[in-house]
Amino acid sequence: MRVNGMMWLLALGVIVAACNKSNPADPTVPAKMVMLDGQPQTGAVGAVAAAPLRVRVDNAANDPVAGVTVTWAVTSGGGATSVTTQETSAAGVSSVNFTYGQAGPQVITASVPGLSGSPQTFTLTAVAAGGGGGGGQ
């Protein structure tokens, strides 16, 4: 009987350990993405936006999570981000600079698959050079 009891305790320990690794309240497990700032902005074609585009990744307790890879993509307007992927900082923040493309709306997304609030979509406006750009914030 003693052997069976020890095996049961060992099995229970393995189950508990496995459960702890998938705990959604684990501070290292990302749960959601929120937009911090970066829109609205208007700028000249070919210029760098006055303010960076920034998102934060949080865990289930709304605390920032570091080391999460955020993918940045320009989906409309032909502009460019300073990087296409970036890990979040110790403050849970990913930030890129944006260079305006053709005149008109510029749409940029930040995404982390599987997170609530992902993707976050930024919409900026490019105007023809000399068309009265500016920060717009």
Side-chain angles (χ1 to χ4, degrees):
M1 271 286 197
R2 186 163 174 81
V3 172
N4 286 342
M6 290 182 75
M7 292 179 82
W8 182 84
L9 285 175
L10 179 61
L12 181 62
V14 169
I15 291 169
V16 169
C19 288
N20 286 342
K21 291 185 186 268
S22 63
N23 181 354
D26 181 336
T28 64
V29 176
K32 68 179 180 178
M33 178 189 300
V34 295
M35 182 184 297
L36 293 179
D37 48 36
Q39 71 171 12
Q41 292 189 71
T42 300
V45 169
V48 175
L53 312 182
R54 300 184 329 136
V55 296
R56 187 181 68 235
V57 174
D58 292 338
N59 63 18
N62 295 321
D63 296 321
V65 179
V68 178
T69 301
V70 176
T71 300
W72 292 88
V74 177
T75 59
S76 178
T81 57
S82 53
V83 296
T84 56
T85 61
Q86 182 185 62
E87 285 193 3
T88 55
S89 68
V93 175
S94 177
S95 174
V96 297
N97 292 315
F98 177 71
T99 301
Y100 292 99
Q102 62 204 28
Q106 313 285 295
V107 180
I108 306 95
T109 59
S111 60
V112 176
L115 293 190
S116 172
S118 175
Q120 287 291 321
T121 301
F122 295 81
T123 303
L124 285 67
T125 303
V127 294
Q137 281 198 19

